[in-house]
Amino acid sequence: MQTSRWNAILVPVLAVILGLLVGAVLMLLMGYDPIAGYSSVFQGIFGNSYFIGETLRAVTPLIFAGLAVAFAFRTGLFNIGVEGQFIVGQLAAAWVGASWDLPPGLHAAVAVLVAMVAAGVYAGIAGWLKARLGVHEVITTIMLNYVALFGSNYVIRTMLKGATERSKDILPSASLQSEWLTNLFEGARINWGLLLALIFVLISYWLLMKTTTGYELRAVGFNPHASEYAGMNVPKNIFLAMLVSGMFAGIGGATDVLGVNGNMAISAGFTGIGFDGIAVALIGNNNPFGVIFGALLFGGLSFGADNMQRVEGIPTESIQIVISMVIYFVAASSLIKWLLGKFRRRQGV
């Protein structure tokens, strides 16, 4: 049991180290200095207060996306539709933020709540189809991503159109921006969404690990037939798992609109945040607290890569290769566990 817990920590850590080593080799082969490259990435993340704030801003939606994917994984579901649910959350928050007239604070809270419910219900479509008709959630969630993308574009153009190719700006009363945080981090766009992300990490852990509902959700995901034999309502739990997963994604979309952009742009393609959430959850071993680590790594490297290109002239694609290799080594965790086992046997552990 103790070895299993250590492996849960060591596998992603070693995967990161191996990914960085592979990235360093690739930089050398391309004629760049990997030490200078990684140093500039580090400076791009921690070089000053503004960079730290912007890194945390980039990490915030990744935490929500990672939580959404990890929650579904933990309950035996593969939610590929986090991207679409994130978009639905953005749209709902933009609508409430721009169209409703409520007092400050309450307005933001209602916008987040509506986004959470809208995205949860949207994810629940795939959950219902899985629970009642046996339709695999991977197929339905992939298709629902496109419905969300093009449907949101249509709604913005016909109902929420602003001055340019975007929705109307939200009212100041709905904003999650914080002047105090912005000043603290020298003008960075960090906002109260980060606090919400940390709160929902705790909520996710509590719901999954400390409640009867969470036990049933995990049991159904592990073995639906045994769970049904034990008297659990399998269809209800499948639907509930997708509902909650979508809610996490929706809050991420709301914080992006209410805390960063102040509107939702008409887009020809996906944001990519929902798909990045799959990698974040995988790196975090589908653990709510591990998701924070995965989001910090993923968001930090992605944001710091811009500084690497600006200072050292190294293409940002190098960091994408590093991230890809980290994901690969996490996915190939059996190889790392085998290497750890051989090391322990040699050391007599």
Side-chain angles (χ1 to χ4, degrees):
M1 187 67 177
Q2 190 69 24
T3 300
S4 177
R5 289 180 177 176
W6 272 111
N7 282 345
I9 298 172
L10 286 174
V11 167
V13 170
L14 288 175
V16 171
I17 294 172
L18 290 172
L20 291 172
L21 288 174
V22 171
V25 171
L26 289 173
M27 287 183 200
L28 283 172
L29 293 175
M30 291 187 292
Y32 298 110
D33 181 356
I35 296 177
Y38 285 139
S39 296
S40 60
V41 170
F42 187 84
Q43 285 295 318
I45 301 172
F46 302 106
N48 55 46
S49 297
Y50 174 79
F51 286 159
I52 294 173
E54 281 295 305
T55 299
L56 293 175
R57 187 269 310 163
V59 163
T60 300
L62 290 175
I63 292 177
F64 284 112
L67 282 179
V69 176
F71 191 92
F73 272 151
R74 283 283 182 171
T75 56
L77 298 170
F78 196 16
N79 185 4
I80 307 295
V82 172
E83 180 72 27
Q85 295 143 28
F86 185 90
I87 292 172
V88 169
Q90 286 181 307
L91 181 64
W95 170 58
V96 174
S99 305
W100 294 24
D101 188 11
L102 294 170
L106 177 63
H107 196 176
V110 170
V112 170
L113 181 62
V114 171
M116 179 174 68
V117 172
V121 171
Y122 194 70
I125 296 172
W128 184 86
L129 290 170
K130 167 84 170 184
R132 294 299 178 185
L133 303 176
V135 182
H136 204 289
E137 72 277 6
V138 170
I139 302 299
T140 52
T141 52
I142 288 175
M143 295 299 101
L144 285 169
N145 283 335
Y146 290 95
V147 175
L149 174 63
F150 298 119
S152 64
N153 285 345
Y154 175 80
V155 170
I156 293 172
R157 284 196 178 97
T158 56
M159 303 178 192
L160 293 174
K161 187 72 160 56
T164 57
E165 290 294 292
R166 64 185 186 187
S167 70
K168 298 175 183 176
D169 289 337
I170 64 170
L171 299 173
S173 56
S175 177
L176 286 174
Q177 293 176 355
S178 167
E179 185 178 352
W180 174 72
L181 285 174
T182 299
N183 292 335
L184 182 64
F185 290 95
E186 299 180 5
R189 293 170 293 173
I190 185 173
N191 56 80
W192 292 119
L194 179 62
L195 178 61
L196 278 178
L198 297 178
I199 290 172
F200 276 95
V201 165
L202 296 174
I203 291 174
S204 176
Y205 178 80
W206 171 79
L207 179 59
L208 270 176
M209 303 300 179
K210 302 297 181 181
T211 67
T212 303
T213 299
Y215 175 79
E216 289 192 8
L217 290 172
R218 287 183 288 119
V220 168
F222 183 74
N223 193 326
H225 302 295
S227 300
E228 186 176 17
Y229 183 77
M232 298 178 189
N233 189 329
V234 173
K236 185 195 81 170
N237 281 288
I238 290 174
F239 173 77
L240 182 60
M242 285 298 295
L243 184 78
V244 175
S245 176
M247 285 181 171
F248 287 134
I251 304 168
T255 59
D256 187 60
V257 168
L258 304 176
V260 181
N261 299 318
N263 55 63
M264 182 179 180
I266 295 172
S267 178
F270 294 117
T271 66
I273 292 173
F275 298 122
D276 291 344
I278 299 172
V280 168
L282 188 62
I283 293 171
N285 199 31
N286 297 319
N287 182 290
F289 297 111
V291 162
I292 299 176
F293 169 75
L296 285 170
L297 174 71
F298 202 98
L301 288 176
S302 298
F303 183 76
D306 292 335
N307 190 62
M308 180 183 71
Q309 185 175 45
R310 185 168 56 251
V311 175
E312 298 296 330
I314 303 176
T316 56
E317 287 78 10
S318 301
I319 292 300
Q320 296 304 316
I321 293 173
V322 171
I323 293 172
S324 300
M325 293 309 302
V326 170
I327 296 169
Y328 171 79
F329 285 120
V330 171
S333 58
S334 57
L335 172 63
I336 296 179
K337 289 176 183 177
W338 177 75
L339 291 173
L340 286 173
K342 288 187 69 68
F343 175 77
R344 289 191 180 104
R345 283 192 293 272
R346 285 188 177 181
Q347 298 298 315
V349 179

